[in-house]
């Protein structure tokens, strides 16, 4: 699937690239990002390959990321409408102001206006709630976002990192009230973070939400930098914030290296291919500090692992999911008693095998 083989994002008419360019690394304000010039080069590379979706947030490098994206498109008249620009709200840039962030109406409107100012744009294509504001009623949040759609300030709504039950509540309220629902969901998803498979992925598929994995390389742990065979220093500026892989992580990394070698690709490309081809995934967020990292990640869009390679990665990274995920097989067997339904076979339960008598 090349970068310009576009896909519909959730239950919407918005078409996006299979890989989305994440702009969290744009700006050196946090001590580990890239310069505006490097960001410009990476955006040019991504767009030149046919990519059309750039994702940022008001809090990324204290607003500098949005400004870098805005300056890039302001210098290229006519190109803004050819791309999809997403940004996020919730993060407070104003210490001491309780309404400077969060998901209340006042905060949402103020943050949208500030993002539009930094982006130097008239509208945002998809506006994401960055996290769950536990103090704001979700109906207030969804109504304020619906008003922004009506006002033409945003085109679509997205949700990021909320509990699955809260996402469901938001969607149900929007549907009941006739408001614009969310069309996509951002969640952490990688070979080292698979618990979203228990609730989030099935929920998103049921509710018409396109899934966008973030950190598909798990903070660089799956990029090839970290290996049991490496003895030198790792070029990873963020390790001071996110730490280093644990012993169990290296068990997955070992198999990833083997699969990547068999496929003739980098570990990063194999890891990205694995997550991008998971059920429910629409567009995978990729980011980079340097052009060589970006090109390596973008090349992964054409990588397709074999069934046996995928199974090897599935097996070594199988997560322990929350209740009631562990009862999925039992439920299938109890309900369908050895028949095949929707292509999925079941077995006759042990209870039925005990006696042929029926009352």
């Amino acid at each position: 699937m090349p970068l310009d083989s576009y896909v519909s994002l959730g239950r919407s008419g918005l078409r996006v690239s299979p890989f989305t360019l994440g702009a969290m690394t744009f700006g050196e304000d946090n001590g580990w990002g890239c310069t505006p010039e490097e960001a410009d080069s990476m955006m040019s590379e991504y767009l030149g390959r046919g990519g059309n979706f750039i994702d940022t947030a008001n809090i990324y490098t204290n607003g500098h990321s949005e400004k870098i994206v805005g300056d890039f498109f302001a210098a290229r008249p006519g190109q803004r409408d050819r791309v999809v620009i997403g940004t996020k709200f919730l993060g407070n840039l104003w210490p001491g102001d309780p309404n400077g962030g969060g998901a209340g109406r006042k905060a949402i409107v103020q943050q949208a206006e500030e993002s539009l100012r930094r982006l130097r744009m008239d509208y945002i294509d998809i506006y994401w709630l960055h996290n769950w504001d536990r103090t704001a009623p979700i109906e207030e949040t969804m109504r304020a976002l619906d008003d922004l759609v009506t006002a033409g300030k945003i085109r679509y709504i997205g949700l990021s990192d909320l509990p699955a039950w809260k996402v469901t509540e938001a969607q149900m309220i929007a549907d009941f009230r006739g408001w614009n629902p969310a069309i996509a969901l951002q969640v952490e998803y990688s070979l080292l973070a698979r618990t979203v498979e228990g609730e989030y992925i099935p929920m998103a598929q049921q509710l018409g939400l396109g899934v966008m994995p973030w950190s598909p390389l798990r903070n660089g742990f799956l990029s090839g930098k970290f290996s049991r065979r490496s003895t030198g220093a790792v070029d990873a500026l963020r390790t001071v914030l996110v730490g280093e892989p644990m012993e169990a992580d290296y068990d997955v990394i070992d198999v990833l290296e083997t699969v990547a070698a068999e496929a003739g690709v980098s570990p990063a490309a194999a890891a990205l291919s694995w997550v991008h081809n998971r059920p429910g995934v629409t567009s995978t967020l990729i980011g980079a500090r340097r052009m060589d990292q970006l090109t390596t990640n973008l090349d992964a869009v054409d990588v397709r692992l074999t069934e046996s390679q995928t199974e090897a990665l599935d097996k070594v990274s199988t997560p322990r999911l929350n209740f009631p995920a562990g009862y999925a097989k039992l439920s299938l067997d109890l309900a369908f008693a050895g028949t095949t339904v929707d292509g999925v076979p079941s077995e006759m339960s042990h209870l039925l095998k005990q006696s042929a008598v029926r009352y």
Side-chain angles (χ1 to χ4, degrees):
M1 178 184 286
L3 206 56
D4 59 357
S5 181
Y6 305 109
V7 288
S8 297
L9 186 58
R11 192 178 294 143
S12 80
L14 187 64
R15 280 77 183 187
V16 299
S17 295
F19 279 8
T20 297
L21 179 60
M24 187 176 180
T25 57
F26 289 5
E28 299 176 293
D29 306 69
N30 294 333
W32 48 264
C34 66
T35 66
E37 293 75 22
E38 290 169 320
D40 283 6
S41 296
M42 287 193 284
M43 283 188 281
S44 294
E45 175 71 16
Y46 173 74
L47 297 172
R49 291 190 182 209
N52 79 333
F53 194 0
I54 297 176
D55 178 82
T56 184
N58 69 336
I59 202 71
Y60 291 168
T61 50
N62 296 335
H64 197 189
S65 175
E66 287 184 328
K67 185 177 186 305
I68 290 171
V69 173
D71 290 347
F72 177 88
F73 286 100
R76 294 160 177 79
Q79 193 167 1
R80 188 271 173 266
D81 286 335
R82 308 281 74 77
V83 298
V84 176
I85 302 294
T87 193
K88 308 180 191 74
F89 69 94
L90 184 89
N92 195 330
L93 297 175
W94 308 104
D97 179 6
N99 295 304
R105 178 181 294 274
K106 176 178 172 62
I108 290 173
V109 174
Q110 174 263 322
Q111 289 173 91
E113 295 291 352
E114 286 293 292
S115 287
L116 287 168
R117 177 183 61 80
R118 285 187 290 266
L119 289 166
R120 302 171 67 177
M121 297 175 183
D122 297 323
Y123 67 94
I124 297 162
D125 288 295
I126 180 164
Y127 200 39
W128 300 87
L129 172 56
H130 208 161
N131 211 299
W132 179 25
D133 179 353
R134 288 163 172 77
T135 69
I138 195 64
E139 59 268 27
E140 179 179 340
T141 301
M142 295 304 291
R143 179 56 195 269
L145 291 170
D146 182 69
D147 287 344
L148 286 176
V149 174
T150 301
K153 299 294 182 70
I154 67 175
R155 299 291 190 255
Y156 296 95
I157 299 164
L159 302 174
S160 175
D161 302 342
L162 277 69
W165 67 268
K166 181 57 68 171
V167 173
T168 303
E169 181 186 10
Q171 291 295 82
M172 294 298 98
I173 288 174
D175 181 66
F176 180 74
R177 297 293 187 184
W179 301 338
N180 283 277
I183 65 167
L185 177 71
Q186 287 193 20
V187 291
E188 183 181 11
Y189 194 14
S190 73
L191 281 164
L192 296 177
R194 291 183 55 186
T195 56
V196 293
E197 294 174 6
E199 298 256 2
Y200 284 91
I201 301 299
M203 173 201 69
Q205 291 174 307
Q206 184 69 29
L207 297 179
L209 293 161
V211 175
M212 294 182 60
W214 58 262
S215 198
L217 298 180
R218 184 63 165 177
N219 299 315
F221 293 178
L222 301 169
S223 66
K225 294 177 181 178
F226 295 90
S227 172
R228 280 195 170 106
R229 294 190 291 273
S230 297
T231 56
V234 174
D235 176 22
L237 297 179
R238 281 199 291 168
T239 53
V240 67
L241 297 175
V242 300
E244 297 188 8
M246 296 184 293
E247 190 64 24
D249 297 332
Y250 278 111
D251 293 339
V252 177
I253 292 170
D254 288 344
V255 176
L256 176 64
E257 290 176 336
T258 299
V259 166
E262 289 178 359
V265 299
S266 69
L272 286 169
S273 176
W274 179 89
V275 75
H276 179 65
N277 288 291
R278 300 299 292 174
V281 170
T282 302
S283 183
T284 302
L285 280 155
I286 60 170
R289 285 190 297 115
R290 304 190 310 266
M291 181 63 77
D292 63 305
Q293 294 173 334
L294 177 67
T295 55
T296 295
N297 291 346
L298 290 179
D299 289 344
V301 77
D302 294 319
V303 174
R304 191 65 185 250
L305 302 177
T306 66
E307 184 175 341
S308 62
Q309 290 166 347
T310 300
E311 287 177 353
L313 291 173
D314 288 349
K315 183 177 180 180
V316 74
S317 65
T318 300
R320 182 171 182 175
L321 300 176
N322 292 338
F323 173 87
Y327 288 91
K329 178 65 168 59
L330 174 62
S331 176
L332 192 74
D333 295 343
L334 288 174
F336 302 127
T339 62
T340 297
V341 178
D342 294 331
V344 180
S346 66
E347 298 178 9
M348 186 182 297
S349 76
H350 179 72
L351 298 174
L352 287 182
K353 293 178 181 178
Q354 299 307 303
S355 171
V357 178
R358 299 292 180 267
Y359 298 92

